[in-house]
Amino acid sequence: MARYVFITGGVVSSLGKGLASAALGALLQARGYSVRLRKLDPYLNVDPGTMSPFEHGEVFVTDDGAETDLDLGHYERFTGVSARKTDSVSSGRIYSNVLEKERRGDYLGKTIQVIPHVTNEIKDFLRVGEDEVDFMLCEIGGTVGDIEGLPFFEAIRQFAQERQRGQCIFMHLTLLPYIAASGELKTKPTQHSVKELRSIGIAPDVLVCRSEKPIPQKEREKIALFCNVRPDAVIAAPDLKTIYEAPLAYHREGLDQAVLDAFQIAPAPRPDLSRWEDVMDRLENAEGEVRIAVVGKYTQLEDAYKSIAEALTHGGMANRVRVKAEWVDSEIFEREDPGPWLEDFHAICVPGGFGERGTEGMINAARFARERKIPYLGICLGMQMAVIESARNLARLNDAGSEEFDHEAGEKRFTPVVYHLKEWVQGNHRVERKLGDDKGGTMRLGAYTAVLKQGSRVAGIYGSPEIEERHRHRYEVDIRYRDQLEGHGLVFSGMSPDGRLPEIVEYENHPWFIGVQFHPELKSKPFAPHPLFADFVRAAKEAERLV
Ligand code: GLN
């Protein structure tokens, strides 16, 4: 049965709780343990699938088709453990399950209450798969004291109480603000945050304190005394140059040791940190730099393309080169020629997105990359726009477009080279969708197989005739245009196994131009860069030599 680490936060949000959880997962793995990470989010959306990327950052998709919080992306990138539907839950999902059961009559006429019905539902979620791993790390979103979070805090309190002593520990992340005028780190907000936590029955075993300065021993002892933890369980979380430093930095500060001590595991297995030492070596000793333009629509919020940014960094690590990704708003290219903006970049990536805004700019960026022979990676919407560009400018289908934009505008303006996907095969059953379906969870989601064309560039890159990648889309390139487009050099080099859904396109007469309907960025890891990103950066590096 797994041991549980519950990770909570206090004082302010955005302290890097997800990163600390992910790093702890990596460190426990380095000591030979198996782990699984989970996220419990207090918001009332059933999942983040319908939230704007501006609101909540990227939606991370799992193999089994769940639309989850971007923290699950961190978890995967640090541990390599593929997240599942059952690793992410929100208050909305919990309440929706409880209400569904109530309607079905499952509660046999009882009055439904937060305690015990909602908390029981949360505890059931926590228990899923507990026999599979040594450690289950569960992060509670938000900060202690948030109204929505209360049922989660109550549930983890009950959970720990019901288990044998020593099976569950609590790790709390706080902030030690630095007051420049007095040159001091202040511990009071941390004391208050722990007090708040204890008032709901949770006593932290490990405190992780974010601070811009090292924590003097005197302050450490003060925190330990006032917060009732051991001094060596007060862990400093300094600011880092790169997130991938987190496992080594937390190890230096003694986080994994403090956690194992809290579980009274002695002697602790020795860690093998070579994976993270290699990652840091690649990051710190990169030679040269390539500049890659990411031409998209959610460029104001960096988190909106989190996995793409990370996958590009990993691609750089594979080639021992630094990748400087710059975010360019595609709408600019609806007014201006992309030339002056893009010609100094060594490669162009057009990522995924929804809705028509900015798409004509993406089409212009794709054209620029094709004509100027600049490496181009189109992901999902970025692939669809590259196909439309090809249809318009090579096949002379001047009004080629996507049905997505006609649906949004409520009028028919385009020849739908990209159409609304209404049925497809998943495993051995058929999935059907209608236009008026709910927005939540109705896309083609999760891992699907693609069959690669022999001799194509992608077959060479993947080194395998069949691949599995994660999807999140509602529209699809229409296979009826295949012959016409292939006649102009746009090869359909990856298809769904039934041959009906184009998964990958590439130009045969271009140094590197690939569009993929799926999201390869979701599977890239610092210690295992995704082959498409590794090869894309390699091509950019080659282009760099030519510039
Ligand atoms: N909006 C497009 C679709 O639904 C692309 C989605 C995406 O880029 N993830 O098919």
Side-chain angles (χ1 to χ4, degrees), residues 351-355 379-382 384 402 404-405 418-419 443 471-476 517 519:
F354 294 83
I379 295 176
C380 209
L381 188 65
Q384 296 173 356
S402 169
E404 177 173 6
F405 313 146
V418 177
Y419 68 103
M443 281 186 263
H471 294 68
R472 182 171 186 248
H473 63 124
R474 195 168 269 126
Y475 296 85
E476 178 70 67
Q517 185 54 73
H519 291 274

Side-chain angles (χ1 to χ4, degrees), residues 495-536:
M495 300 293 294
S496 60
D498 63 3
R500 291 172 62 179
L501 308 180
E503 291 276 7
I504 308 177
V505 294
E506 62 184 56
Y507 280 112
E508 51 193 3
N509 50 2
H510 189 288
W512 210 102
F513 194 112
I514 294 176
V516 293
Q517 185 54 73
F518 45 80
H519 291 274
E521 72 275 19
L522 302 179
K523 285 177 56 166
S524 190
K525 322 269 186 310
F527 45 83
H530 191 285
L532 267 182
F533 280 90
D535 206 60
F536 179 53

Side-chain angles (χ1 to χ4, degrees), residues 61-175:
V61 183
T62 60
D63 279 332
D64 59 3
E67 297 177 280
T68 69
D69 189 85
L70 53 75
D71 273 325
L72 271 79
H74 281 316
Y75 301 166
E76 279 202 21
R77 281 188 285 272
F78 279 81
T79 64
V81 177
S82 294
R84 302 179 188 148
K85 229 176 217 151
T86 45
D87 293 327
S88 167
V89 82
S90 64
S91 293
R93 164 72 63 204
I94 294 286
Y95 279 105
S96 155
N97 290 354
V98 168
L99 294 176
E100 222 171 85
K101 287 186 184 168
E102 187 272 337
R103 291 290 82 183
R104 271 204 314 260
D106 291 6
Y107 296 119
L108 307 173
K110 287 256 182 305
T111 305
I112 311 305
Q113 295 179 300
V114 172
I115 305 172
H117 301 97
V118 170
T119 48
N120 282 351
E121 191 71 27
I122 298 171
K123 288 189 286 180
D124 287 347
F125 166 82
L126 293 173
R127 279 189 281 264
V128 177
E130 63 179 330
D131 294 328
E132 293 171 24
V133 289
D134 299 320
F135 286 93
M136 197 76 91
L137 276 49
C138 305
E139 177 191 349
I140 317 291
T143 44
V144 58
D146 295 347
I147 289 181
E148 286 114 332
L150 274 173
F152 285 130
F153 283 92
E154 169 61 13
I156 60 175
R157 183 197 66 75
Q158 292 175 15
F159 190 91
Q161 186 61 24
E162 288 161 13
R163 294 275 151 147
Q164 267 178 24
R165 288 233 169 272
Q167 288 294 304
C168 301
I169 68 159
F170 295 94
M171 168 170 141
H172 190 57
L173 238 91
T174 70
L175 175 72

Side-chain angles (χ1 to χ4, degrees), residues 5-40:
V5 183
F6 293 109
I7 299 133
T8 58
V11 184
V12 290
S13 59
S14 307
L15 283 178
K17 205 160 14 102
L19 185 59
S21 311
L24 176 59
L27 289 174
L28 290 171
Q29 282 181 325
R31 290 189 186 255
Y33 295 110
S34 58
V35 300
R36 179 163 286 285
L37 284 114
R38 279 201 173 143
K39 179 84 195 274
L40 295 88

Side-chain angles (χ1 to χ4, degrees), residues 283-339:
L283 276 173
E284 283 177 339
N285 301 314
E287 282 168 29
E289 178 176 282
V290 294
R291 295 178 64 219
I292 298 184
V294 183
V295 181
K297 51 195 301 182
Y298 314 117
T299 48
Q300 297 100 310
L301 181 72
E302 214 186 293
D303 272 356
Y305 297 119
K306 189 77 198 147
S307 294
I308 296 213
E310 297 308 325
L312 287 171
T313 302
H314 307 161
M317 290 159 73
N319 293 282
R320 289 198 172 267
V321 67
R322 229 178 343 273
V323 172
K324 186 156 191 289
E326 286 180 38
W327 312 93
V328 184
D329 185 346
S330 61
E331 268 184 298
I332 295 172
F333 307 135
E334 302 187 347
R335 304 181 299 267
E336 291 178 43
D337 172 19

